[in-house]
Amino acid sequence: MIPILSHTDAQTVSFAIWAVALPFVAFALNLLLFGKSKIAALISTIAIVASLVLAVKVFLSVWNAPVIHAQTTWFIIGATKVQAGLLLNNLSVLMLLLVPVIALPVHIYSIAYMKADEGYSRYFRYLSLFCFSMLGLVVVDNLILLYAFWELVGFSSYLLIGFWFTRQSAVMANKKAFIMNRIGDIGLLTAIIILYTLFGTFDIQALFGKDGFVQLSNIAAGMWAGPHSAIPAVWQYVAFAGIFLAVAAKSAQFPLHTWLPDAMEGPTSVSALIHAATMVAAGVFLLGRVYPLFIESELTILAIVGAFTAFMAATIALTQNDLKRILAYSTISQLGFMVLAMGVGAYASSLFHLVTHAFFKCLLFLVAGIVIHQMKHIKDDSNLDIDPQNILYMGGLRKKLPLTFIATIIGALALIGLPLTSGYLSKDGILIQAFDWAESRGAIFNIIPYAALLTSWLTAFYVARLVVKVFFGEFRLHKANPHIHIHMGDGSWLYKAPLVFLAICSLFPLFSNSPIFYEDAWIYKSFLPSNFLARENLYHIIIPALVNILAVVVMYAAFAIYGKRNAWAFPQAGLLYRLSFNEWYIDRFYSRVIIKFVMWFSNLLYWFDKKVVDGVVDLFTNMGIALAKLAAWLDRNIVDGLLHLVSAVVQSIGNFARRFQGGKVQYYLYSMLLVVAVVFIFKMIF
């Protein structure tokens, strides 16, 4: 039974509801009243500002305070009463604050970035719908509502990815994202059904809260036993598999990661909001919500998948030339770090990295948007046939885009995880705890932290490569086309203000007083259990030193290779290069094996349906028609024939008898005489 809320808590709940609802109000107003009006941007931006203000109030009221859980009866089916409401704890209010904090600079940036687009008002409608979906997802207390908002996040993302729906590539990208996320959604729905079957509730707090049903359950003798019932233990593993599929799809983890790079077909500002900061973080958020569900072996699987995904995506980013695609694979890699952290028990570090990553990755995407925007202007003005996202056409842009360059450096250093940045604090925490985790489990488990360590150095290399290719050296497009006129700049304050804000948020002071010790970060400390004892060992010294010293060496190597044109540059050929450049051939494998098999199987089912199922139906149909025709013939020739025969006989008898009723007396006398004669003869004979 949920206690009656105090006035303060009720007000906090009201603020949270409005923080969620205001973007939807903006969506509805823009859809119903303003159509194609430019005022749509103002409405959406005011709504997200108001959401941010309310989210701040909610955050200050709930952070490190008792959980606020407000419920009401949603519906009743028989004896089952389903409650729905809001669950405000550290995790939910952190995400409630993070979404509008990231969304606001994206809205401001988008006012300038999308101003010349024909779908300007439609863009802001979609943006508001997405923000509403994401905000609702993080505060609901009910698995059914969580699933509904989960689906709505996917749908609004589908709209934004395919925003330029006249492009075939955008249409294919949003279809791909939609279908792959449906695979994950099936998993999540399956897990929800299993949890309800065992525990009889959809209430997240009752299931996963302190002393919740999941924590009180256990697996023994082949059964998964809850407080009130038990089911076969295999269903616990199925529930984990369902959650894993949901996380892998939404947070782009292997093997369901291939949709994210293609999702860059949407506007770059969309990429900044959805595919770097919020939507893709929903999978990690889900892990945080249901974390007590997982047993040790399942957490190990998460650690393995996260480490592999991080490493794989980093190796692919090494050779890509599309600016946004490099950042997309960087996002996949960083999400792998978060899933790895969840797997090794670094719950606080995972959520800490989720927050820091949101700022510096959003910053890098907005920077990419400015660079691409300027390159597209040059392409259109000079009528060039180039890809404005290809970094091979860039170079030397630091002089033409000074603020953009500075913002890029800050974001890049945070992504690499060098000191004085937020990324240093959150990533080093994951690496140190991964080594702590592996040490207590045996030598084979050391593969996971060492893979993460190698991934960090790969990150330093491909980020340095990107920065050098874009901002250093000479402008290669101008060198190849000396006749073109170049007019480039950082843009108006609508571009600059979001960059400055996000760059400041990518530095350490926002999160910790210490630029070195991740344990001092306020987010990290707030998610630790009350009985946590920090382990002080050599890893806390060796790992940060090793990571950062070698990261600097790797960055210099990248600068030497791509900036100074060093002779020992890597060959653009060979097995490893092709494996990286072709993205480990995973997409090609899906296209040539999985999709072909699905198409073959679908055609087989179509043939079976057409020839066998429809054949049987047609057979029974033809048999029915034949029986009907036989029945018709019998009815017409036998039944009706018999009736017609009787009728004919009766008619003949009637016609014969009618001759005796001619109205003449002599005929009556003849008839009587004939009857008497016949009777007399009959008597004489017998």
Side-chain angles (χ1 to χ4, degrees), residues 471-489:
F471 292 100
F472 287 88
E474 54 188 342
F475 191 16
R476 287 177 288 277
L477 181 62
H478 186 255
K479 183 180 179 181
N481 303 273
H483 62 282
I484 63 175
H485 298 286
I486 300 174
H487 300 286
M488 303 182 75

Side-chain angles (χ1 to χ4, degrees), residues 1-240:
M1 187 74 177
I2 304 300
I4 298 175
L5 298 176
S6 66
H7 173 72
T8 302
D9 288 350
Q11 189 178 53
T12 301
V13 169
S14 178
F15 286 159
I17 292 172
W18 277 108
V20 173
L22 282 172
F24 182 78
V25 172
F27 164 75
L29 289 175
N30 289 335
L31 178 66
L32 300 175
L33 299 181
F34 298 108
K36 296 183 178 181
S37 172
K38 294 285 186 179
I39 201 173
L42 180 62
I43 297 296
S44 293
T45 305
I46 291 174
I48 204 66
V49 169
S51 285
L52 175 57
V53 172
L54 293 171
V56 170
K57 288 180 174 293
V58 173
F59 180 84
L60 295 176
S61 299
V62 176
W63 188 253
N64 289 336
V67 174
I68 298 178
H69 189 190
Q71 281 187 322
T72 186
T73 300
W74 187 12
F75 60 85
I76 300 174
I77 299 179
T80 302
K81 181 183 293 186
V82 177
Q83 305 283 347
L86 268 63
L87 175 60
L88 302 177
N89 58 10
N90 276 3
L91 177 59
S92 56
V93 298
L94 179 64
M95 293 298 295
L96 183 69
L97 178 62
L98 180 65
V99 174
V101 165
I102 296 297
L104 178 56
V106 172
H107 276 71
I108 295 171
Y109 180 96
S110 298
I111 293 172
Y113 189 78
M114 298 296 294
K115 67 178 180 181
D117 197 282
E118 294 180 355
Y120 186 79
S121 59
R122 178 167 56 89
Y123 169 85
F124 280 96
R125 287 202 298 270
Y126 292 170
L127 214 57
S128 292
L129 179 63
F130 172 80
C131 290
F132 162 70
S133 307
M134 192 66 202
L135 288 167
L137 173 68
V138 301
V139 298
V140 292
D141 75 330
N142 179 288
L143 288 175
I144 298 177
L145 281 175
L146 183 142
Y147 185 77
F149 279 106
W150 184 272
E151 289 290 310
L152 196 54
V153 166
F155 173 68
S156 53
S157 176
Y158 167 84
L159 295 176
L160 285 165
I161 294 169
F163 177 77
W164 287 315
F165 54 83
T166 54
R167 300 180 185 177
Q168 183 63 21
S169 57
V171 173
M172 296 303 294
N174 72 346
K175 285 182 180 178
K176 186 176 183 179
F178 193 80
I179 291 170
M180 295 196 81
N181 273 276
R182 295 293 71 74
I183 296 172
D185 297 344
I186 291 171
L188 179 58
L189 182 59
T190 302
I192 291 172
I193 293 171
I194 292 170
L195 289 168
Y196 180 76
T197 301
L198 177 58
F199 300 111
T201 181
F202 297 106
D203 190 326
I204 293 173
Q205 180 69 1
L207 288 168
F208 306 107
K210 186 178 180 181
D211 298 325
F213 294 152
V214 170
Q215 289 185 328
L216 296 177
S217 67
N218 63 84
I219 296 177
M223 297 298 289
W224 184 20
H228 309 297
S229 61
I231 58 177
V234 67
W235 291 111
Q236 198 278 340
Y237 308 121
V238 175
F240 163 74

Side-chain angles (χ1 to χ4, degrees), residues 461 553-562 565-571:
F461 188 88
V553 172
V554 168
M555 291 167 61
Y556 177 77
F559 181 78
I561 293 171
Y562 299 106
R565 306 290 179 180
N566 195 293
W568 53 276
F570 297 114

